[in-house]
Amino acid sequence: MDEILEALSNDARITPQELSKLTGKSLAAVKSDIKKYEKKGVIVKYKAVINNDLLDDSKPKVRALIEVSIVPQKDVGFDRIAERIYSFDEVISCSLVSGTYDLLVIVEGDNIQTVSNFIASKLSPMEHVRGTATHFLLKKYKEDGQILKKKRKMARLNISY
Amino acid sequence: MEFKISKKVEEMQPSGIRAFFDLVLGMKDVISLGVGEPDFVSPWNVREKAIYSLEQGYTSYTSNKGMPELRKQISSFLKKRYSLSYGWDDEVLITAGVSEGLDLVMRTILNPGDKVLIPEPSYVSYGPVVSLTGGVPIFIETSVKNDFKVTPKQISDKCGKGVKAILFNYPCNPTGASYTKKELKEIASVVKKHNLLVISDEVYDELTYDFDHTAFPSLKDMKNRTIYLNGVSKSYAMTGFRIGWAVGPKKIIAGMTKIHQYTMLCTSINSQIAASEALKNGFNSVQFMKREYQRRRRYIVDALNDIGLECHCPQGTFYVFPSIKSTKQKSIDFAKNLLKSKKVALVPGVAFGKSCEGHVRISYASSYEDLKEAIFRIQSYLKKI
């Protein structure tokens, strides 16, 4: 991966000035690279990884991982039906996978009922959807390569040769 | 009645540095740029393997020389990486880090009075391990003018009666200086001319940034006169596992093994298993860490120069060795004052040799956030004096 992308995927708040210092590229080159990546869609967006479990939220959101089996359509394969599914706001992630089912869909809702309703009223009855299996997520340990538990401080001595 | 300890040990230098270290270790909330080890924890696959080895009941001694599997891996790693052919059974010895390897090699090759050339700045143990055996360290001062590199002429000038070996370390702790293949070839020709043994400490080899690292024994005619020392500490962030290796001519390795079997017996079996896993599956982790260090190096060199501490750009390691001459302070005073007033720790240059006054060693094996904060604090300290 390009150095700029590697640094940004680790810390999206890093400034072009800092990136220029860290990579040895000129500020102008860094800015133009970032623009290029944004335009091309390589950089999709800049976001924070949030550990919802630690939020003082009286109404925590509920997530479910849904295995969806579908019948591929002529000419467009799985893409069209995938688009119909991922266009719902409730769907936060959607991927085509190999194995015993076809789409892996992650859905978020205010509670179990809203998620269940979404599945029962929107997803399952959809044309070409053969079946679904739903797993509610209980606890998140790691997301986007980031371990959510707070890291313990390293036991290094403050000074050594 | 008070018993006296050995004269040689008594003469060993703890110096003012020790007191400074104690001061740092006793202080809280310090941002430390004084650490001689990676800020990464060992890769998980390595740690997991070590844990599993305990679960499996691997708690015994190993062969004195080290587990055959690990020695075979080192032999084939050197073949792949540097086209070097070493017999795993009689030319490879597993040691407790490069530090033990260094001690063993000195005790194996030196008779009292034998001289060993050591380019300075040098790692802190080099002088003492030579002296402990009754050998005589002869330091060769290098300077920032030469990017802290020793020249063939300097080596030649110091060669004479009783000079048996040169102890070489590149990339170098504390300066980060390293040598291109061309430079090494020139040094090799002087080494050959004066019939020197070479002890080559290349523990930072994987942390070379501007060109490919060349292993000293891979140079023409150097294999039979070089003891090559390396280990997993720096490249794989495994300092606490204490695994290094010495590779070289059979006779010398056999001699080192004799001492090792009576003093160390063998290194920890779990550490050896972990090291084996690192060599087998650790390449990506090394590359990841190297890229990270490389970015920090660019940042720290520019930042130090920007705030008025002249700093050359080193080719390797995770250290820089800037000059503090502009402050007109001695390096130990500078380090103490900075620690007391701004809670930033670094290592005074004098720790690495008398000629290193006027410099400090800064380790950039710290998070980018810590480096930024440390630079900010150093800058505000400089403004006050």
Side-chain angles (χ1 to χ4, degrees):
Chain A
M1 202 195 283
D2 171 76
E3 274 204 296
I4 292 178
L5 291 177
E6 193 174 63
L8 276 172
S9 59
N10 183 44
D11 177 7
R13 291 182 310 170
I14 199 163
T15 63
Q17 282 78 4
E18 288 175 309
L19 277 171
S20 153
K21 276 185 188 164
L22 293 172
T23 59
K25 289 183 179 171
S26 74
L27 183 59
V30 168
K31 281 183 175 170
S32 106
D33 279 1
I34 293 177
K35 199 160 257 171
K36 194 180 73 197
Y37 288 133
E38 288 172 347
K39 214 169 162 188
K40 225 177 146 187
V42 174
I43 295 176
V44 182
K45 70 187 275 186
Y46 301 88
K47 58 172 261 187
V49 179
I50 290 167
N51 185 358
N52 285 311
D53 293 350
L54 295 180
L55 281 178
D56 285 331
D57 207 338
S58 52
K59 288 180 191 162
K61 298 256 186 194
V62 167
R63 276 189 185 194
L65 197 147
I66 307 163
E67 303 168 358
V68 184
S69 306
I70 53 181
V71 184
Q73 288 176 274
K74 205 169 181 190
D75 298 333
V76 290
F78 295 104
D79 291 353
R80 183 167 296 161
I81 186 81
E83 187 178 355
R84 286 188 68 187
I85 293 173
Y86 68 63
S87 296
F88 284 107
D89 287 343
E90 290 88 339
V91 174
I92 58 166
S93 156
C94 178
S95 320
L96 183 65
V97 296
S98 64
T100 53
Y101 59 96
D102 306 301
L103 291 180
L104 177 61
V105 176
I106 299 179
V107 171
E108 191 174 77
D110 288 336
N111 52 46
I112 290 185
Q113 277 71 35
T114 46
V115 174
S116 306
N117 283 344
F118 173 77
I119 297 163
S121 63
K122 299 281 196 280
L123 197 56
S124 298
M126 200 180 278
E127 199 184 356
H128 308 299
V129 168
R130 273 193 308 199
T132 61
T134 303
H135 312 270
F136 281 98
L137 297 191
L138 304 180
K139 186 173 179 181
K140 229 185 340 178
Y141 296 103
K142 188 174 183 179
E143 185 163 281
D144 287 342
Q146 199 66 44
I147 293 168
L148 298 177
K149 193 168 76 171
K150 251 197 159 175
K151 267 192 192 160
R152 257 182 312 143
K153 217 177 161 246
M154 268 182 82
R156 287 197 308 176
L157 292 176
N158 261 339
I159 198 154
S160 57
Y161 289 121
Chain B
M1 166 187 156
E2 194 185 331
F3 289 99
K4 284 199 173 144
I5 60 169
S6 117
K7 239 187 206 161
K8 270 187 206 147
V9 175
E10 203 150 40
E11 281 164 6
M12 276 172 88
Q13 294 265 326
S15 73
I17 303 289
R18 193 70 259 164
F20 170 70
F21 270 44
D22 291 342
L23 195 67
V24 176
L25 293 174
M27 215 164 193
K28 274 189 179 161
D29 303 324
V30 170
I31 293 192
S32 184
L33 307 182
V35 189
E37 61 180 325
D39 62 316
F40 298 100
V41 64
S42 314
W44 172 246
N45 61 317
V46 167
R47 286 183 278 155
E48 200 271 341
K49 192 82 182 184
I51 296 165
Y52 186 62
S53 76
L54 284 169
E55 284 178 355
Q56 290 288 298
Y58 284 100
T59 57
S60 60
Y61 292 133
T62 71
S63 142
N64 294 133
K65 292 179 195 166
M67 297 171 85
E69 195 197 335
L70 179 58
R71 285 183 285 144
K72 281 177 195 169
Q73 273 180 301
I74 290 161
S75 166
S76 57
F77 180 81
L78 288 171
K79 180 88 193 162
K80 212 169 93 187
R81 182 84 165 78
Y82 296 118
S83 304
L84 280 165
S85 296
Y86 283 104
W88 68 270
D89 196 32
D90 48 11
E91 293 179 312
V92 181
L93 171 67
I94 308 299
T95 58
V98 167
S99 291
E100 192 211 351
L102 259 174
D103 179 39
L104 294 177
V105 73
M106 292 308 168
R107 288 201 268 172
T108 301
I109 64 169
L110 296 181
N111 283 311
D114 284 344
K115 294 172 184 159
V116 178
L117 303 180
I118 304 174
E120 193 177 272
S122 76
Y123 182 65
V124 294
S125 79
Y126 291 175
V129 292
V130 170
S131 302
L132 266 177
T133 64
V136 182
I138 309 281
F139 293 100
I140 309 176
E141 291 177 19
T142 64
S143 76
V144 66
K145 263 185 283 169
N146 249 342
D147 287 340
F148 295 110
K149 293 184 196 191
V150 69
T151 64
K153 185 175 180 310
Q154 281 182 303
I155 298 173
S156 224
D157 288 350
K158 293 273 184 184
C159 279
K161 204 169 167 261
V163 175
K164 181 153 193 186
I166 178 164
L167 171 43
F168 217 37
N169 166 224
Y170 67 97
C172 167
N173 176 6
T175 64
S178 195
Y179 298 80
T180 62
K181 189 164 191 176
K182 185 171 169 284
E183 290 165 330
L184 290 171
K185 275 182 180 169
E186 289 165 11
I187 288 170
S189 83
V190 183
V191 160
K192 196 177 169 189
K193 189 176 153 204
H194 294 281
N195 196 26
L196 298 177
L197 269 172
V198 178
I199 299 101
S200 197
D201 173 356
E202 301 182 29
V203 74
Y204 290 95
D205 65 341
E206 296 293 352
L207 303 179
T208 303
Y209 308 116
D210 300 330
F211 43 79
D212 284 336
H213 180 87
T214 303
F216 204 83
S218 70
L219 297 162
K220 192 169 173 270
D221 297 333
M222 289 299 114
K223 187 170 168 252
N224 61 355
R225 60 170 73 240
T226 304
I227 299 95
Y228 169 89
L229 304 175
N230 207 332
V232 290
S233 294
K234 314 292 177 173
S235 340
Y236 298 92
M238 292 174 64
T239 47
F241 283 94
R242 308 306 306 128
I243 293 292
W245 46 87
V247 177
K250 283 177 200 166
K251 198 173 169 186
I252 296 177
I253 293 299
M256 291 169 69
T257 307
K258 269 201 234 173
I259 307 172
H260 176 78
Q261 72 182 349
Y262 292 131
T263 51
M264 183 66 63
L265 214 160
C266 67
T267 58
S268 140
I269 187 169
N270 313 100
S271 290
Q272 290 187 53
I273 290 169
S276 166
E277 169 65 20
L279 287 176
K280 208 181 290 168
N281 297 315
F283 183 73
N284 286 343
S285 306
V286 174
Q287 294 311 309
F288 171 80
M289 291 186 273
K290 179 176 165 177
R291 287 199 299 276
E292 185 61 37
Y293 289 136
Q294 203 159 357
R295 285 195 280 270
R296 294 180 198 167
R297 176 184 67 142
R298 291 193 190 104
Y299 167 74
I300 198 89
V301 170
D302 281 355
L304 287 167
N305 281 307
D306 284 349
I307 63 171
L309 296 182
E310 203 181 310
C311 181
H312 88 298
C313 186
Q315 294 92 10
T317 70
F318 37 67
Y319 308 112
V320 287
F321 206 58
S323 163
I324 52 146
K325 284 173 187 151
S326 59
T327 67
K328 299 198 170 61
Q329 293 183 32
K330 283 193 163 175
S331 63
I332 186 109
D333 296 332
F334 178 84
K336 264 188 207 162
N337 294 338
L338 184 66
L339 178 70
K340 283 180 183 160
S341 66
K342 298 290 173 189
K343 291 200 164 187
V344 174
L346 37 74
V347 182
V350 284
F352 307 98
K354 282 184 192 136
S355 69
C356 313
E357 189 49 271
H359 289 269
V360 290
R361 189 193 75 178
I362 284 181
S363 159
Y364 52 89
S366 278
S367 71
Y368 177 55
E369 287 70 32
D370 277 359
L371 291 178
K372 274 199 291 189
E373 174 63 22
I375 287 289
F376 174 75
R377 292 189 193 184
I378 297 173
Q379 186 176 25
S380 69
Y381 171 71
L382 291 173
K383 276 181 186 160
K384 269 204 316 197
I385 56 171

